[in-house]
Amino acid sequence: MNRLPSLTGLRLPCAAAVFLVHAWLFTGAFADQRIADAALALGPLGMTGVSCFFIISGFVLAWTARPDDTPARFWRRRAARIYPNHAVVWSATLVLLTLTGAAATGESREGPVPALPALTNLFLVNTWVPTREYNAGVNIVTWSLAAEIFCYALLPFILPALRRLPVHRLTTAAALTLAAVWAIPLVSLQFHGPPIAEAGHVPQWQFWISYMLPAARLPEFLLGALAALWLRAGHRPPLGVPAAAATTLGCLTAGIALLPFPFLPAAITAAPLTLLVLAAAAADLDGRPTRLRHPALVHLGERSFAIYLVHWPVILTVNQLLPAEGRPVPAALAVTALHAACTLAAAWLLHRTVEVPCYRHLATAPPGRPVPRPRQGAPHDGHPTGVPHHPRPAGRVHPPRTPEIPLPEHDGGRSRRHRGPA
């Protein structure tokens, strides 16, 4: 298994887009209405970043999958990666909301924190309920973890079927999966009702089905998995990283101008984002440099799960201490810089003291093999992190004649090639 640092680096701009959406749009950062309206363009860009997370997640888990793995061991590793970070941040955010009287969305709240939405958020099942109160839960960004958990639950049963597909059928399977991505917003348009506050005129049901419903994000996850199998078969994408990134932004811009909201979270960008993930991985495998491999991007990308989890509670905390809204541009940018600095500090602490040690102690290694430490440069699977390293220099990879099994499957560790069953 070759190192794929470009995938790790790709996660940082995705997380940054989500951060800016929450720091600028949800908190009314700018007093100048023209600046505020211009910042609205970041809304769909943040959703595109989330979509990219799902595709990367499916890609890395399919790329690192072992034929001898079991569903129980796979689920244990995923739980060890997600739940310690989530439980710590959920608890801290609950304390924050209780002490400040704020709602999870940052608005003022009357009465105690709603117990049932908070508990369903703790167990990451809250986004199966199509109401704003449940979708927000305690830490609003963890709605995407609920979707990840759903994808993890199904992957051990779906991936073996995908791996049995002949190579020439992978493209057909990807096309059908992409059609499913486009079918979801078409279905959502059949539902109407009162609008959701965060999306303006978009009905709550359309927003929930096209964006937050866990089952609706499964096709993006599977696109990533199919892309990994296609790349492992020796294929290479037609576009490089810059061209794929430009195509993604172009499709998003066209979608904003021409399509209703339900097509923006995933449908309009699913194909170019898959090409972008393929291009980044292929460049690493072939030893071609990319800007995504910059050490700073890789370093922060390794901590992007922690960054993603803590950024909204940090924004809420800073805004409680500096409650003014509608600031002049210099002041708004200064507060945004404070948000970013506090987020990075909190993420570093969470990654260092919770994420890494908890994974090492809770994940189950194959018999006779210890759970390795996360290593620098490993790509991250969606919100959890990582992929094993290969100690040899990257070069063009051809499909192996016998199954090549990375040992052990771990988000950011060291692996050795093993031919045949473990």
Side-chain angles (χ1 to χ4, degrees):
M1 176 69 65
N2 295 78
R3 297 178 61 191
L4 303 177
S6 293
L7 284 187
T8 305
L10 177 59
R11 299 192 74 244
L12 182 63
C14 295
V18 177
F19 166 81
L20 288 176
V21 167
H22 291 155
W24 287 355
L25 302 187
F26 277 54
T27 59
F30 297 103
D32 190 324
Q33 190 59 45
R34 294 171 300 176
I35 302 296
D37 291 342
L40 284 175
L42 287 175
L45 189 61
M47 293 187 292
T48 299
V50 173
S51 182
C52 193
F53 284 148
F54 287 119
I55 295 171
I56 293 175
S57 181
F59 182 98
V60 173
L61 289 177
W63 185 263
T64 60
R66 296 193 310 269
D68 66 327
D69 205 3
T70 66
R73 285 188 292 186
F74 172 78
W75 293 329
R76 182 184 177 97
R77 291 193 303 273
R78 295 302 94 211
R81 178 62 68 189
I82 284 184
Y83 274 104
N85 271 12
H86 166 58
V88 168
V89 178
W90 180 92
S91 300
T93 308
L94 181 62
V95 171
L96 170 67
L97 299 182
T98 301
L99 293 178
T100 62
T105 56
E107 303 160 337
S108 59
R109 186 191 75 247
E110 295 183 3
V113 176
L116 196 53
L119 285 175
T120 57
N121 183 217
L122 175 61
F123 294 104
L124 298 177
V125 294
N126 55 305
T127 52
W128 289 99
V129 182
T131 67
R132 185 170 182 259
E133 185 178 51
Y134 275 84
N135 294 166
V138 171
N139 185 3
I140 62 171
V141 301
T142 54
W143 72 265
S144 61
L145 296 188
E148 288 276 347
I149 290 293
F150 175 72
C151 295
Y152 296 162
L154 297 181
L155 186 65
F157 308 108
I158 297 176
L159 186 58
L162 298 182
R163 296 178 72 165
R164 289 193 295 268
L165 289 175
V167 173
H168 66 279
R169 294 288 180 85
L170 291 174
T171 304
T172 302
L176 292 174
T177 306
L178 184 62
V181 175
W182 278 84
I184 289 165
L186 289 173
V187 170
S188 75
L189 289 174
Q190 309 310 308
F191 293 82
H192 304 281
I196 184 170
E198 289 80 4
H201 63 283
V202 180
Q204 165 70 28
W205 276 88
Q206 292 184 18
F207 184 86
W208 177 70
I209 293 172
S210 63
Y211 189 52
M212 286 190 163
L213 175 63
R217 309 317 295 248
L218 179 63
E220 295 156 83
F221 186 87
L222 295 181
L223 272 178
L226 287 164
L229 298 177
W230 185 82
L231 191 67
R232 186 177 285 284
H235 297 290
R236 289 297 181 267
L239 301 179
V241 171
T247 302
T248 300
L249 292 176
C251 289
L252 181 62
T253 301
I256 293 171
L258 300 174
L259 295 173
F261 172 86
F263 291 91
L264 302 183
I268 194 64
T269 56
L273 279 177
T274 303
L275 289 175
L276 177 59
V277 170
L278 278 169
D284 288 340
L285 293 177
D286 295 341
R288 291 180 280 110
T290 70
R291 294 184 182 276
L292 294 172
R293 298 174 69 172
H294 190 281
L297 287 179
V298 174
H299 177 80
L300 292 174
E302 290 170 344
R303 291 149 181 80
S304 56
F305 178 41
I307 291 172
Y308 181 84
L309 279 182
V310 304
H311 81 272
W312 179 248
V314 166
I315 290 172
L316 288 182
T317 302
V318 172
N319 287 350
Q320 288 294 321
L321 299 174
L322 303 172
E325 292 187 1
R327 303 177 179 91
V329 172
L333 294 179
V335 172
T336 302
L338 180 61
H339 288 154
C342 294
T343 294
L344 291 177
W348 177 86
L349 185 64
L350 183 68
H351 177 78
R352 182 75 177 269
T353 63
V354 177
E355 183 176 351
V356 173
C358 285
Y359 187 87
R360 291 182 60 209
H361 287 91
L362 298 177
T364 298
R369 297 182 184 271
V371 177
R373 293 174 181 268
R375 294 289 303 274
Q376 185 176 11
H380 299 259
D381 55 314
H383 297 290
T385 55
V387 83
H389 288 266
H390 191 284
R392 297 192 292 185
R396 184 168 182 83
V397 174
H398 299 280
R401 295 181 181 178
T402 57
E404 180 182 291
I405 306 169
L407 298 175
E409 189 278 326
H410 169 58
D411 308 297
R414 183 179 298 276
S415 70
R416 293 175 288 176
R417 285 195 179 184
H418 178 77
R419 300 287 184 180

